[in-house]
Amino acid sequence: MHPRGGTLDHMQPTDFLARHGGVARLAHLRRAGFTRGQIGRAVDSGIMQNPRHGIYRLPQANENFVRAYEANAAVTCISAAEHYALWTLRTPGQPHLAACHRRLEGRVLPHRFSGNISTLHPPVLPLKDVLVHALQCLPELEALVMVECAFGRGDIDLDFLRRLLPGTRNGRASAVLDLVERGSDSLLETVARVLFRRHGFEVRTQVYLAGIGYVDFLLNGCLIVEIDGVGFHLSKPQFKKDIRRNNVGAATGYRVLRYLYEDVLHRPEEMLAQIRLTLATPPRMPC
């Protein structure tokens, strides 16, 4: 039996580890076809490490994966977001791990899981379980952006998630699912949409306006709001396009406001107050 994507003549145990987060169990290496002699030589050379019986890693291995293997656990919740390329509002301070036992150390945030973890490689729970844990564990908006990212890509079905969250004890998680929509291009748009609706604005998302194109938000039928991410205006052609869109919007009777990452996530009250003021202020008299 040969490792995927190569043969034993060409692939080393270190190559196999590099393809799987930098860490694996002995059983994974043996199942891939490597002999104990090959594994031992890689350790003796110093390229591969054997920090605990049955576990082999590279120095640059994903530390959450290493910790999961050492604890007979799996990465889940927000700690698994990077693996599935899901949106997140923050980097977790502690790893979120799931296990079927209660012996997880105090430096992790534990989650319960009744399935077979030992076969997972890399040690990450399936997406459905990761999202269920996020919905049960994280603050509302943090869980929402993860679920909405997966839903928008077509990776998960909301009704399926609801069936995994039965009963009143999952009421908070179900309420987050009620907020999920398609159409957001970024987590900022998701957060902004929830903020706008909760503060009483009439919100339309991804609206096509003649001569302008699609805009992120149209509030109360007259105010265009665009949300710009971290990479805003790094492209000169995009910068020119945005200026033209703003000018066309203003020339055709719309007001236009643009907000950045910091405004949505760190200064939302200032953003909301400015929007209220803009909507409440009548246009100036003609010159």
Side-chain angles (χ1 to χ4, degrees):
M1 185 174 183
H2 300 302
R4 183 182 301 176
T7 68
L8 292 180
D9 293 334
H10 299 92
M11 180 178 286
Q12 298 299 315
T14 50
D15 300 321
F16 179 80
L17 292 187
R19 295 184 179 192
H20 297 88
V23 61
R25 297 183 187 277
L26 174 61
H28 299 144
L29 289 163
R30 297 289 287 130
R31 194 177 302 124
F34 296 107
T35 66
R36 290 183 180 273
Q38 287 176 301
I39 296 169
R41 286 192 293 274
V43 173
D44 291 342
S45 72
I47 300 174
M48 191 165 76
Q49 301 169 355
N50 179 206
R52 185 171 295 192
H53 178 70
I55 298 172
Y56 294 85
R57 64 167 293 175
L58 300 176
Q60 68 272 26
N62 183 309
E63 292 298 335
N64 282 343
F65 289 2
V66 174
R67 187 169 293 182
Y69 278 136
E70 291 179 343
N72 193 25
V75 179
T76 189
C77 195
I78 192 172
S79 293
E82 182 179 5
H83 178 76
Y84 288 109
L86 301 175
W87 297 334
T88 57
L89 295 179
R90 65 181 176 90
T91 301
Q94 295 174 291
H96 291 241
L97 300 184
C100 58
H101 58 79
R102 298 181 181 275
R103 302 187 302 276
L104 288 175
E105 59 184 272
R107 292 179 297 161
V108 307
L109 289 172
H111 295 264
R112 296 289 291 167
F113 183 71
S114 58
N116 186 357
I117 284 175
S118 64
T119 60
L120 295 175
H121 187 223
V124 183
L125 287 190
L127 178 62
K128 63 182 179 62
D129 300 296
V130 165
L131 294 177
V132 165
H133 284 155
L135 287 162
Q136 293 173 327
C137 169
L138 301 178
E140 178 187 66
L141 290 178
E142 293 185 25
L144 175 62
V145 297
M146 286 181 61
V147 174
E148 189 155 296
C149 179
F151 176 64
R153 294 191 312 220
D155 294 344
I156 200 74
D157 179 74
L158 294 187
D159 289 335
F160 175 64
L161 279 181
R162 286 192 176 93
R163 290 195 292 272
L164 298 176
L165 293 160
T168 55
R169 66 188 178 90
N170 285 308
R172 188 176 71 89
S174 297
V176 174
L177 290 178
D178 291 339
L179 298 174
V180 177
E181 296 182 14
R182 289 194 192 277
S184 290
D185 290 332
S186 70
L187 66 87
L188 295 177
E189 291 181 25
T190 297
V191 173
R193 184 191 72 238
V194 173
L195 286 172
F196 296 158
R197 289 207 170 121
R198 286 193 168 159
H199 285 79
F201 302 118
E202 176 196 319
V203 181
R204 294 174 60 196
T205 62
Q206 294 299 321
V207 181
Y208 181 82
L209 301 175
I212 300 173
Y214 285 95
V215 298
D216 293 336
F217 298 98
L218 185 64
L219 302 188
N220 292 14
C222 63
L223 175 61
I224 295 171
V225 176
E226 299 277 31
I227 306 296
D228 298 307
V230 176
F232 172 57
H233 285 166
L234 292 180
S235 162
K236 188 173 182 180
Q238 183 62 44
F239 178 64
K240 292 180 177 179
K241 180 180 177 181
D242 289 339
I243 289 178
R244 294 190 186 103
R245 280 161 49 90
N246 287 2
N247 289 346
V248 171
T252 53
Y254 292 101
R255 295 184 175 191
V256 183
L257 294 177
R258 304 191 76 96
Y259 292 102
L260 303 174
Y261 177 93
E262 301 82 37
D263 300 314
V264 177
L265 296 185
H266 303 307
R267 294 189 290 272
E269 290 305 324
E270 292 180 25
M271 176 181 69
L272 293 166
Q274 192 172 58
I275 290 172
R276 291 190 198 98
L277 179 61
T278 301
L279 290 170
T281 305
R284 292 185 178 276
M285 295 297 292
C287 296

